[in-house]
């Protein structure tokens, strides 16, 4: 097992836990659907969290041929992974024995969700540093579109801004996946 494999094994476990966390909450809400008031905004928030886990896991593939990993790179990647777990934890509520209003949950949790998402974007930039400490400009530019939806959602509480943010984050993520698909070949 290489050092890269060793590090990515731990990161993959955290990604799996984050995905399990969000999927188990969604499944519980589906089972309690009689007591759950649906919210499309909250559903988009959950979808964006799931897609970010997928993107993060796939991005590990891109580093497979990287040179030696520095301790700082490993720590930043680990911190990023923990933040991503909190993105997932803040995206969907627990199903309780009482009624669950997903619209109310969205408005109460949107700042936490987009705040963690913004932190994950910042951590991504630091994780992209090469072992020499330089930032590869192409990778840095690829993270820029992920900032705008988060900043809009945090700065403008209007419903239209929340929709633009959620859909915008989905579009940016889907575009990244389509572009990364060519790198997998």
């Amino acid at each position: 097992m290489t050092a890269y494999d060793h590090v990515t094994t731990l990161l993959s476990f955290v990604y799996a836990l984050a995905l399990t966390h969000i999927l188990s909450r969604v499944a519980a809400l589906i089972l309690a659907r009689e007591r759950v008031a649906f919210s499309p905004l909250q559903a988009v928030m959950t979808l964006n969290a799931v897609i970010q886990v997928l993107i993060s896991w796939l991005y590990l593939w891109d580093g497979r041929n990287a040179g030696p990993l520095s301790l700082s790179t490993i720590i930043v990647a680990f911190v990023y992974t923990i933040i991503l777990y909190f993105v997932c934890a803040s995206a969907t509520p627990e199903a309780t024995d009482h009624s669950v209003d997903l619209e109310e949950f969205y408005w109460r949790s949107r700042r936490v969700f987009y705040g963690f998402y913004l932190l994950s974007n910042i951590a991504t930039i630091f994780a992209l540093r090469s072992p020499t400490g330089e930032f590869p400009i192409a990778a840095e530019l690829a993270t820029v579109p992920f900032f705008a939806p988060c900043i809009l959602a945090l700065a403008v509480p209007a419903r239209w801004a929340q929709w633009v943010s959620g859909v915008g984050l989905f579009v940016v993520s889907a575009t990244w996946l389509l572009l990364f698909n060519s790198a997998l070949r």
Side-chain angles (χ1 to χ4, degrees):
M1 176 182 274
T2 67
Y4 183 78
D5 294 335
H6 183 72
V7 170
T8 57
T9 298
L10 175 62
L11 300 181
S12 293
F13 275 120
V14 178
Y15 293 154
L17 287 170
L19 191 57
T20 300
H21 185 92
I22 203 166
L23 293 177
S24 66
R25 284 186 172 187
V26 168
L29 289 169
I30 290 170
L31 293 174
R33 64 190 169 281
E34 307 83 33
R35 298 186 315 273
V36 176
F38 180 73
S39 167
L41 272 173
Q42 188 278 326
V44 170
M45 189 165 70
T46 298
L47 179 62
N48 280 328
V50 169
I51 289 173
Q52 189 56 38
V53 172
L54 176 62
I55 286 172
S56 300
W57 179 73
L58 284 173
Y59 194 72
L60 290 176
W61 176 262
D62 210 32
R64 71 195 180 286
N65 296 324
L69 298 173
S70 68
L71 181 59
S72 63
T73 300
I74 293 168
I75 290 171
V76 170
F78 184 66
V79 168
Y80 168 82
T81 305
I82 291 170
I83 295 168
L84 183 60
Y85 182 88
F86 288 123
V87 167
C88 290
S90 64
T92 307
E94 290 185 56
T96 63
D97 292 336
H98 307 295
S99 63
V100 178
D101 184 348
L102 295 178
E103 186 73 16
E104 186 270 329
F105 174 83
Y106 176 82
W107 290 103
R108 192 183 59 215
S109 301
R110 72 176 178 80
R111 288 180 170 251
V112 173
F113 174 81
Y114 283 110
F116 278 128
Y117 210 114
L118 190 61
L119 276 176
S120 75
N121 292 337
I122 293 166
T124 298
I125 288 179
F126 287 102
L128 293 174
R129 275 190 302 156
S130 69
T132 63
E134 297 176 10
F135 290 100
I137 193 69
E140 198 174 86
L141 290 175
T143 64
V144 170
F146 287 90
F147 280 90
C150 296
I151 292 169
L152 178 63
L154 290 168
V156 182
R159 188 172 195 78
W160 68 266
Q162 300 306 307
W163 273 108
V164 169
S165 297
V167 172
L169 201 53
F170 176 80
V171 168
V172 169
S173 299
T175 301
W176 188 95
L177 285 170
L178 291 173
L179 294 174
F180 188 75
N181 181 47
S182 64
L184 290 175
R185 296 177 185 180

